[in-house]
Amino acid sequence: LFSLATGVRMGNVLGLKWSDVEGHVARIERAEDDEPLTAPLNNLARAVLVHVQGQCPTHVFSYRGRPLKRVNARAWRNLRHTWASWLRQKGVPTWALQGLAGWKSESMANRYAHINVDHLRPFASVLDTLLDTPDFSEELKNAQAIENIGEPGWNRTSDPLIKSQML
């Protein structure tokens, strides 16, 4: 749940120590380079921290008082992808997604650019005025389900764990 709230990679979550958490941010040591990522913690991430507080004196995530070393990594990669997709669906700009994820290049954040196309709608509707388009207002009202794609409750993944009501 912490990764879904922050987009932090599995290895960084497993290695996260209480000394890395300060207020509303977590300092994430990254293997890719020497520059740590400062990850802002939203309310969900902070709630997870409150829930696990006191279970291990050194590491944030533990099992029976010992730091987690391994977990089932099969679906973990999907969490970061889902996190980035949700941010784009909510209109987070490329530069902000890049900063939150700690990506060095804009091209990584641009992988999610296709998810939010609201800025293209006015251009797509230009043809409505050029062509003799019949009035489909009633049909469009009935097709409201199409508008709900990307809203809370809609999920792009088929992973049952991510779709779980527990999240």
Side-chain angles (χ1 to χ4, degrees), residues 74-87:
R74 187 174 174 191
W76 201 295
R77 184 172 171 86
N78 288 340
L79 295 176
R80 186 165 165 92
H81 176 76
T82 300
W83 167 81
S85 297
W86 284 353
L87 289 175

Side-chain angles (χ1 to χ4, degrees), residues 18-19 21 23 45-62 65:
W18 286 110
S19 59
V21 178
R46 291 194 344 261
V48 170
L49 294 178
V50 167
H51 181 73
V52 299
Q53 193 170 14
Q55 294 180 11
C56 179
T58 56
H59 287 73
V60 174
F61 299 100
S62 63

Side-chain angles (χ1 to χ4, degrees), residues 11-161:
N12 298 118
V13 169
L14 297 180
L16 189 63
K17 297 178 181 175
W18 286 110
S19 59
D20 298 329
V21 178
E22 188 175 317
H24 293 266
V25 296
R27 287 181 310 285
I28 308 297
E29 298 296 327
R30 302 186 307 173
E32 306 92 52
D33 54 33
D34 296 331
E35 191 177 321
L37 173 68
T38 301
L41 302 175
N42 56 30
N43 290 340
L44 178 58
R46 291 194 344 261
V48 170
L49 294 178
V50 167
H51 181 73
V52 299
Q53 193 170 14
Q55 294 180 11
C56 179
T58 56
H59 287 73
V60 174
F61 299 100
S62 63
Y63 179 71
R64 295 186 179 179
R66 294 187 176 144
L68 286 173
K69 300 212 185 284
R70 294 183 327 163
V71 295
N72 183 349
R74 187 174 174 191
W76 201 295
R77 184 172 171 86
N78 288 340
L79 295 176
R80 186 165 165 92
H81 176 76
T82 300
W83 167 81
S85 297
W86 284 353
L87 289 175
R88 288 309 299 228
Q89 288 170 358
K90 290 300 182 181
V92 172
T94 301
W95 63 267
L97 181 58
Q98 179 183 348
L100 288 168
W103 292 319
K104 294 286 182 200
S105 70
E106 193 175 298
S107 64
M108 286 297 294
N110 280 334
R111 291 180 178 190
Y112 300 95
H114 69 281
I115 293 172
N116 186 343
V117 294
D118 287 343
H119 64 287
L120 299 176
R121 282 186 186 178
F123 301 108
S125 64
V126 165
L127 290 180
D128 289 341
T129 61
L130 294 177
L131 301 173
D132 188 18
T133 307
D135 181 14
F136 288 112
S137 57
E138 280 306 308
E139 288 83 355
L140 291 174
K141 286 179 189 174
N142 294 333
Q144 195 63 30
I146 293 172
E147 288 293 321
N148 293 334
I149 293 175
E151 292 300 314
W154 180 82
N155 201 315
R156 155 172 216 256
T157 183
S158 60
D159 188 319
L161 179 62

